[in-house]
Amino acid sequence: LTNGVLPLQWVSFTAKPGNNSNLLEWATCNETGTKDFIVQHSSNSTNWEILGYVTAAGGNASYSFIHNNPPAGNHYYRLVQRDIDDRYSYSKTISLYTGGSSLLRVFPNPAEKGTTSIQLQQASIVSMYNLSGSLVYRKALAAGQHTLDLSGFAAGTYWLRAGDTSVKLILQ
């Protein structure tokens, strides 16, 4: 990362599962001199590959990118913002699990602004545990997508459980 003032402010960056795709959406503000965004993907958060490029719009802007036909498993995404002077910055890294047989999907993860969404393939009791193993949340939910209000919980790492599926959830 080079020194100097970067030509934008990151507002948000999220990933959502779709039908044979993952939808990435992000927003920025105060873009000045931004050239483009490089969309990067990793299955292990260590080795990154380039999925594509999105041209910058300038000013306050919202963007999207579709990762088509991602394999089942863990997905990590990040953006590299490049400006016209070859300076660059990285977005935060976000994660998403996709898999045909998983009972529970969580997105975005890390959770932002005290909320996250979950996708359940069947009606389940959803439980959340802190790292000490204490039950801190429990609710019966129908199959489908739900938004969980987690604003009353401290930032940190938790485990969400539905049936035999557990997912690590990070609250920021």
Side-chain angles (χ1 to χ4, degrees):
L1 185 62
T2 60
N3 292 330
V5 176
L6 294 170
L8 65 72
Q9 291 177 333
W10 296 103
V11 175
S12 64
F13 182 31
T14 61
K16 299 176 186 172
N19 190 15
N20 295 318
S21 66
N22 291 337
L23 173 63
L24 308 178
E25 296 178 304
W26 66 97
T28 63
C29 64
N30 302 323
E31 276 187 39
T32 305
T34 302
K35 176 181 171 183
D36 63 5
F37 299 89
I38 303 170
V39 180
Q40 295 184 329
H41 173 263
S42 175
S43 59
N44 60 15
S45 75
T46 302
N47 302 317
W48 295 91
E49 66 178 348
I50 295 173
L51 292 179
Y53 300 84
V54 176
T55 302
N60 299 336
S62 296
Y63 301 92
S64 64
F65 183 89
I66 296 174
H67 181 190
N68 288 309
N69 302 311
N74 290 314
H75 298 278
Y76 299 90
Y77 296 100
R78 71 180 182 188
L79 303 169
V80 180
Q81 170 274 322
R82 294 190 300 181
D83 73 8
I84 57 176
D85 295 329
D86 290 328
R87 292 181 296 167
Y88 61 93
S89 70
Y90 289 97
S91 69
K92 67 180 181 178
T93 298
I94 58 174
S95 66
L96 179 67
Y97 174 82
T98 59
S101 62
S102 177
L103 174 63
L104 172 67
R105 294 183 191 177
V106 180
F107 53 94
N109 192 1
E112 295 180 340
K113 298 180 182 170
T115 64
T116 195
S117 294
I118 62 170
Q119 179 75 37
L120 295 170
Q121 286 192 356
Q122 65 189 45
S124 300
I125 295 175
V126 175
S127 303
M128 187 167 82
Y129 299 87
N130 62 23
L131 286 179
S132 299
S134 298
L135 178 67
V136 295
Y137 177 91
R138 184 176 176 96
K139 188 171 186 178
L141 296 172
Q145 184 172 326
H146 304 274
T147 299
L148 301 181
D149 178 4
L150 304 173
S151 58
F153 295 95
T157 303
Y158 296 84
W159 286 96
L160 275 180
R161 184 168 183 82
D164 292 333
T165 304
S166 293
V167 175
K168 183 170 34 171
L169 172 64
I170 299 170
L171 299 182
Q172 295 182 328

